Amino acid sequence: MPDDRDESPAERADRRWNETLQEVRVAQTGAQILFGFLLSVAFTARFEELSHFDRGLYVVTVALGALATGTLIAPVAYHQLLAGHHLKPQLVKAAGHLVSVGIVLLALTVTFSVLLLLRVATAHWIAWPVTACVTGWFAICWLVMPSLLLRSKARRR
């Protein structure tokens, strides 16, 4: 796809890397805060009262939170290992894939966190439709709206 920027491949890779880092900073912060909160839940008095299902849900949610956090931090590790090896375009591409996977894992972590919280804090039946609405909203904001923008751009061409 042609770009109207007047930049060399190296400049483009540098720009895209900086843009990726800005995106990662936002997602990383959310993932780390949520993961830290999830870790603390097991040390509360109320944790002992959770049903087997809710404890299983908690384990899955913590695992997803760990995976999201690790995946969103991975581009930094890649950069540290690959710096000076003249692989910036490959680094940018790999980091983009990691951020995409990390965002999916973060969305799943938030979804399961909402489900767990609502199952514990309210009547169990309300947790499911509210969680479905939250998940639907994520899908609209993170998938549907960007897809509509891409289609709109394609139609204008």
Side-chain angles (χ1 to χ4, degrees):
M1 175 173 13
D3 195 345
D4 61 354
R5 297 176 192 265
D6 184 25
E7 58 188 5
S8 70
E11 290 169 332
R12 178 177 169 80
D14 287 340
R15 178 182 53 81
R16 291 188 64 216
W17 176 248
N18 287 329
E19 290 172 354
T20 299
L21 283 182
Q22 291 294 71
E23 295 165 357
V24 165
R25 283 184 184 113
V26 172
Q28 263 182 1
T29 302
Q32 290 170 326
I33 291 169
L34 180 57
F35 184 57
F37 168 75
L38 286 169
L39 292 177
S40 69
V41 168
F43 299 102
T44 64
R46 186 117 187 246
F47 186 78
E48 293 297 321
E49 299 172 19
L50 293 180
S51 68
H52 289 294
F53 177 84
D54 290 335
R55 281 181 187 236
L57 183 58
Y58 173 76
V59 168
V60 169
T61 305
V62 168
L64 287 168
L67 292 170
T69 301
T71 304
L72 291 167
I73 292 172
V76 175
Y78 272 47
H79 184 262
Q80 287 300 307
L81 292 169
L82 299 176
H85 292 278
H86 307 289
L87 295 170
K88 182 76 65 87
Q90 295 89 337
L91 171 64
V92 170
K93 186 174 182 178
H97 292 303
L98 287 166
V99 171
S100 295
V101 171
I103 288 172
V104 169
L105 290 167
L106 180 57
L108 290 170
T109 304
V110 172
T111 297
F112 287 129
S113 295
V114 168
L115 180 59
L116 178 62
L117 173 74
L118 292 176
R119 282 182 52 82
V120 171
T122 66
H124 290 296
W125 70 269
I126 196 72
W128 296 98
V130 171
T131 301
C133 289
V134 168
T135 304
W137 185 248
F138 275 18
I140 290 168
C141 291
W142 293 5
L143 298 171
V144 174
M145 292 172 73
S147 295
L148 291 174
L149 283 174
L150 285 175
R151 282 188 189 155
S152 173
K153 181 181 177 182
R155 273 188 239 130
R156 283 193 305 261
R157 289 183 179 183

